[in-house]
Every structure is written in structure tokens, then in C-alpha cells.
Amino acid sequence: MASNAMLLSFLFIAVTAVCGAETLNSHPPAVAPLPPPPPPPHHHNHTHPPTPPPSHPPTPPPSHPPVKPPATPPSYPPVKPPTPPPQRKKVAVQGVVYCKSCKYRGVNTLVGASPLSGAVVKLQCNNTKKGFTEQLKTDKNGYFFFMPQNLTSSGSHKCKVSLVSSPLKNCTVPTNLHAGAVGAILFGTPKPPPVIAPAKPPPLVIFTVGPFAFEAPKKFPCHY
């Protein structure tokens, strides 16, 4: 009995070994899973995302006022020396008086006229507080020449020369030729051009008026 039990145990172990071998041959041993691949090595030259702009606006550079060029000093015209006041000179007035031809009565012309001697001429000035009047007669050439003592060139523009009377009965009407009847205003005599060198200026300012003329009255008969 003991030998039979030992035989049965031996057969069981053998059968179990054979079945295990077949099982191993029909099913290959399971392979252990491979470990996951290692991560790629870290390099420093990989691309980084762009850096976002700063949230605050950039500070503007300090603004300085523009540098102005040095101001040039203002230029002024040359200062002229003060003009001396006009020198006052004595005044003289000259002119000639004629008697017109009877046939030209009423016509402003001196055709056929002749110098009138002894005609009275008046110089009247209103340039002073009192004013003054002078009269004189023409010479044989009908010429007259006033040289008042209280008249200077500064007040001559307020003077007039006019006809007063004639010594001839057939030539008594003063005409207004060159304002002889109403009074002629004084005008300066043009200066002659110097011949060699300008001479010393005369002490007088000479004014020339006229020529003036008388004519025959309308009732006087004219003989042509």
C-alpha cells in the first residue's frame, strides 16, 4: 500500500511537469514592457516665445527748448547832425511897371507897351503883429526896388505887391496882369549858375514880381 501511494505521487508529479512544459511551449513567456524613451536633451538654443511689450508706455526723452542763435544787435541808420535853423535874411522886392498900348486894352499882353515912370507901387505885409505897408515910385525905366528894414525871409510869404496909381491920364487903370491889381505874392528869384566858383551869398533875399501894367480907361479914345 505504501508503495502504491508513492507511485501515484510520482506519476502526479511527472504529469504535472509534462503539462507545465507543454503549457510553456504553447504560450511563450511574456516579455516585460520596455521603459518609455527618455525625454530629449535640453538645449539652450531653442526658440523662446517673444517677450511681451511693457505694459507702461516708454518714457519720452526730456524735451529741451530749442537753442536760439545769439540775437544780432539792431542796426540803426547813421545819426545825422541836427540841421541848423534857416538863417533869416533881409528881403528885397523888385519889379517893372508898364503902360500898355491902347489898342490892346482889355488884353493881357505887353505887346507895344512902354515902361511907366512915376507909377506908385505898394508893398503890404501881414506877417507881424502890427503889419506894415510901404509905397514907392518907379524910375524912368519903370523899375522899383523895395528893401524894408523890418522884413526877413521867414515872413516874406505873407507879403504882396500891387499897383496903386499911374501919372498918365491915358493909362490909369491897373490891370491884373501877373496879379498886379489884386496883389502878387513874393516868389524867389532863380539863382544864376556860378561861372567859376560860388561867390559869397548875398546878404539879401531878392524877390521878383510882375511885370505889372496900367492901361487906358474905357472912355479914353484910342488912336490907332
Side-chain angles (χ1 to χ4, degrees):
M1 287 295 292
S3 60
N4 290 335
M6 293 178 59
L7 181 62
L8 289 174
S9 298
F10 179 77
L11 289 175
F12 177 78
I13 295 169
V15 172
T16 303
V18 172
C19 291
E22 291 179 357
T23 302
L24 291 174
N25 292 331
S26 60
H27 298 283
V31 180
L34 297 175
H42 182 74
H43 298 283
H44 294 283
N45 59 351
H46 63 274
T47 305
H48 296 279
T51 303
S55 59
H56 300 286
T59 304
S63 60
H64 300 283
V67 179
K68 296 183 180 180
T72 56
S75 60
Y76 299 98
V79 178
K80 296 182 179 180
T83 304
Q87 186 178 5
R88 295 183 180 184
K89 294 183 178 181
K90 291 292 184 179
V91 172
V93 183
Q94 65 181 359
V96 179
V97 181
Y98 290 89
C99 178
K100 290 172 55 179
S101 173
C102 190
K103 65 180 179 179
Y104 290 111
R105 179 172 49 192
V107 181
N108 283 334
T109 180
L110 291 176
V111 176
S114 57
L116 183 59
S117 175
V120 179
V121 185
K122 177 178 66 175
L123 171 65
Q124 182 176 358
C125 297
N126 299 320
N127 59 318
T128 60
K129 295 181 180 180
K130 295 181 180 180
F132 68 92
T133 300
E134 289 187 11
Q135 292 185 358
L136 52 74
K137 292 183 179 182
T138 59
D139 61 10
K140 62 180 181 178
N141 298 316
Y143 178 75
F144 62 88
F145 186 83
F146 289 98
M147 194 168 62
Q149 296 298 320
N150 55 347
L151 178 63
T152 62
S153 56
S154 62
S156 58
H157 61 286
K158 295 185 178 181
C159 297
K160 293 182 179 180
V161 180
S162 58
L163 297 173
V164 178
S165 63
S166 168
L168 300 180
K169 293 182 180 181
N170 61 344
C171 195
T172 58
V173 180
T175 68
N176 205 34
L177 179 67
H178 301 129
V182 298
I185 300 175
L186 304 185
F187 292 101
T189 304
K191 297 180 180 179
V195 179
I196 299 177
K200 184 178 180 180
L204 296 175
V205 178
I206 301 176
F207 292 91
T208 300
V209 294
F212 301 145
F214 285 90
E215 66 181 9
K218 292 182 179 179
K219 294 181 180 181
F220 186 82
C222 291
H223 302 282
Y224 301 105

